[in-house]
Amino acid sequence: MSIGLGHLRMRPDDFWRMTLPEFFAACDGYLESRGVRKAGRVTAPTRAEVASLFAQLDDQGRLKSNG
């Protein structure tokens, strides 16, 4: 809500009627107007990448120590 009503300065009625694709497009346009460029299409991590990340965590979700 803070992005739509604050940064994008949308009227509440317009914000609540907007679809998610419309909202994301508005956010992209806002960021582009501020000089932020998209790096390209973001893809989901593979199962192997997720497993590798989880292997770095202990049972409490903290990074395992190297020593």
Side-chain angles (χ1 to χ4, degrees):
M1 282 180 42
S2 64
I3 293 171
L5 302 178
H7 294 284
L8 298 176
R9 298 185 176 155
M10 299 177 72
R11 296 180 322 159
D13 188 54
D14 294 332
F15 174 80
W16 290 113
R17 290 175 188 258
M18 181 177 257
T19 65
L20 279 177
E22 291 170 334
F23 178 72
F24 291 139
C27 290
D28 287 344
Y30 172 80
L31 291 172
E32 188 174 313
S33 75
R34 299 292 191 266
V36 178
R37 301 223 189 313
K38 291 172 85 172
R41 186 163 180 87
V42 177
T43 59
T46 64
R47 287 180 188 254
E49 291 169 328
V50 172
S52 174
L53 291 171
F54 274 106
Q56 298 175 40
L57 303 175
D58 65 17
D59 292 338
Q60 284 76 42
R62 295 181 299 242
L63 284 175
K64 294 178 182 175
S65 61
N66 291 332

